[in-house]
Amino acid sequence: MKRNRRISAVAVLALAALVTGTGAGFAATTTPVATPSATPVATHALDTAPATATAPTRSFQGALPAPTGPYAAGEDVIHLTDESRPDPWVPSSGPRQLTVTMVYPAVPGTGTPAPYMSLAEAAGVIQRRKLPASYGVTAQNLSGVTTHAFDGARPQRGKHPLVVLSPAYEDPRMTLTSLATDLASHGYVVALVGHTYEDSGETLANGQTPPCAICDDPKTLDFDSVAASRALDVSFVIDRLTHGNTAWPLAHLIDKHEIGMAGHSLGGAAAAATMIADPRVRAGVNMDGSFHPAPMPGQINRPLLMLGTADYHSVGGHDTSWGQTWAALGGYKKWLTVAGADHFSFADLDLLLEQAGFPTPPLSPERGVAITREYVAAFFDQTLKGIDSPLLDGPSPNNPEVLFQS
């Protein structure tokens, strides 16, 4: 079963969320359909919500949790163009253009608060998902979510491992900001890659914010091809950050010999696809995404962490690509699931949904963020920095929700 076709056809901030439980009339349900892969698809009550709401209008004020490390998180947004490659989804637009948010270890107390996203990106999210006005989410307050990242912050000295982050299909890059800022606070440079035309909109260098070109019919989309295209995006970003005249003035902060990648949903599939295609990526994390396709034996002999929901990604669960991948992996590997989590527990989404008044899963959004941060950082500490982490050795009484599958 291709879970991405259910979980990825939804995007930021409920702006069509797969929320477990019911409430407020906006919870989503999943219905199996008779396709060759028995792929479930999402049915969103948001899509059929009445035009008028009886509930009083809310005032949304979103805030991500503060980073937990000793450093502050600096932020720069850069724009890259791959002149050697036409855009795979809209060839008429010319060469592939990417927007990337760089988050880095910074000196506390420097810089100015960074916005969560541009106004145009926020407007694209709201427009695509038809978010009822009664929830009080506007382009202004969505773009102004507190991120704890700072534009123009003074960088910490030294070199730091690079971690590339790839979001879910339909979700813009900013939905992994809480993870990015926490990794930066623990001494990582992070590149949040926006995959143009694959989500509700990424603001490009020319100021335009094109909408998704491949989101209208996910049931017919070849996700293997999308994951492979993302691998090309990521390799290009790594090239530009580590060779010659780089596109980022602070590229000297990057230790180009220590590179990892993590992704959520389809971004997790892209992490595996990138590891297969690019040996520079020394360690990878798949957060609750099907593998597209599952790696073959011998293709990934470097460390990989599989972190997913207990309901879907436990051993013998619905997503058979996880068992196939586990059997094929040749290097250090961990397979963890989180009880009570839903798909958005591994990104910013459940937390922002809760703050907007939407129902959330049994696992509190705060715990989802904390668990994701803690285990992803521990994995990269061990595989990129050589710092042993007992957290990865087995179950922890401090994290009873985390289940070791193998």
Side-chain angles (χ1 to χ4, degrees):
M1 295 176 63
K2 295 190 175 182
R3 177 165 168 77
N4 288 98
R5 296 187 181 179
R6 173 170 71 91
I7 55 181
S8 301
V10 289
V12 62
L13 194 59
L15 312 178
L18 270 177
V19 190
T20 60
T22 59
F26 295 105
T29 60
T30 57
T31 304
V33 294
T35 65
S37 60
T39 304
V41 295
T43 302
H44 306 295
L46 284 175
D47 295 338
T48 58
T52 58
T54 57
T57 299
R58 302 171 186 266
S59 178
F60 170 69
Q61 293 183 320
L64 304 180
T68 62
Y71 306 131
E75 180 178 304
D76 287 328
V77 176
I78 62 175
H79 301 279
L80 306 177
T81 301
D82 186 352
E83 299 289 352
S84 68
R85 179 183 171 218
D87 189 276
W89 314 124
V90 185
S92 61
S93 67
R96 181 67 163 163
Q97 298 181 69
L98 299 172
T99 300
V100 181
T101 300
M102 302 301 304
V103 190
Y104 57 91
V107 176
T110 64
T112 57
Y116 188 48
M117 57 180 71
S118 72
L119 285 171
E121 288 163 342
V125 164
I126 294 170
Q127 179 180 7
R128 177 163 186 83
R129 294 306 162 198
K130 302 180 179 66
L131 188 67
S134 60
Y135 280 80
V137 181
T138 66
Q140 287 74 21
N141 58 34
L142 180 56
S143 68
V145 165
T146 300
T147 66
H148 302 282
F150 296 89
D151 285 331
R154 189 163 74 249
Q156 294 284 344
R157 295 180 178 179
K159 290 188 176 295
H160 311 275
L162 171 68
V163 174
V164 182
L165 297 182
S166 180
Y169 162 70
E170 276 206 308
D171 290 355
R173 69 192 189 280
M174 294 72 66
T175 58
L176 293 176
T177 297
S178 61
L179 177 58
T181 56
D182 198 62
L183 286 170
S185 78
H186 287 279
Y188 292 89
V189 173
V190 182
L192 275 165
V193 179
H195 301 282
T196 312
Y197 296 113
E198 298 177 26
D199 59 43
S200 53
E202 305 280 346
T203 300
L204 303 177
N206 60 9
Q208 296 180 355
T209 308
C212 190
I214 61 171
C215 294
D216 290 340
D217 192 4
K219 290 180 290 186
T220 64
L221 190 61
D222 180 358
F223 282 100
D224 291 4
S225 295
V226 182
S229 176
R230 288 192 175 199
L232 293 175
D233 286 349
V234 171
S235 288
F236 169 69
V237 169
I238 293 173
D239 287 343
R240 293 299 308 274
L241 291 176
T242 60
H243 289 101
N245 295 321
T246 70
W248 184 45
L250 298 180
H252 62 274
L253 297 175
I254 295 172
D255 181 349
K256 64 182 180 181
H257 301 294
E258 300 293 346
I259 299 174
M261 181 177 174
H264 176 224
S265 191
L266 183 60
T274 305
M275 290 183 73
I276 292 170
D278 194 332
R280 293 175 296 181
V281 179
R282 296 188 49 177
V285 180
N286 180 350
M287 298 181 292
D288 208 48
S290 294
F291 289 90
H292 292 287
M296 300 295 290
Q299 287 188 311
I300 299 180
N301 294 319
R302 303 187 299 284
L304 184 71
L305 169 64
M306 296 155 51
L307 178 66
T309 59
D311 286 346
Y312 208 90
H313 282 129
S314 296
V315 170
H318 294 290
D319 188 347
T320 57
S321 74
W322 278 44
Q324 294 168 4
T325 297
W326 182 257
L329 295 175
Y332 176 77
K333 58 185 181 179
K334 292 292 176 180
W335 181 349
L336 311 179
T337 57
V338 184
D342 74 356
H343 186 53
F344 293 140
S345 297
F346 306 96
D348 300 345
L349 302 173
D350 277 344
L351 187 64
L352 296 179
L353 284 171
E354 180 184 58
Q355 293 168 357
F358 284 88
T360 52
L363 181 74
S364 77
E366 293 79 8
R367 282 295 293 154
V369 169
I371 288 169
T372 301
R373 285 173 155 189
E374 191 171 359
Y375 281 85
V376 172
F379 179 77
F380 285 130
D381 281 352
Q382 185 152 311
T383 58
L384 298 181
K385 292 184 177 181
I387 301 173
D388 183 58
S389 177
L391 191 67
L392 298 172
D393 292 340
S396 166
N398 294 327
N399 297 301
E401 309 94 335
V402 179
L403 310 174
F404 281 66
Q405 294 298 308
S406 185

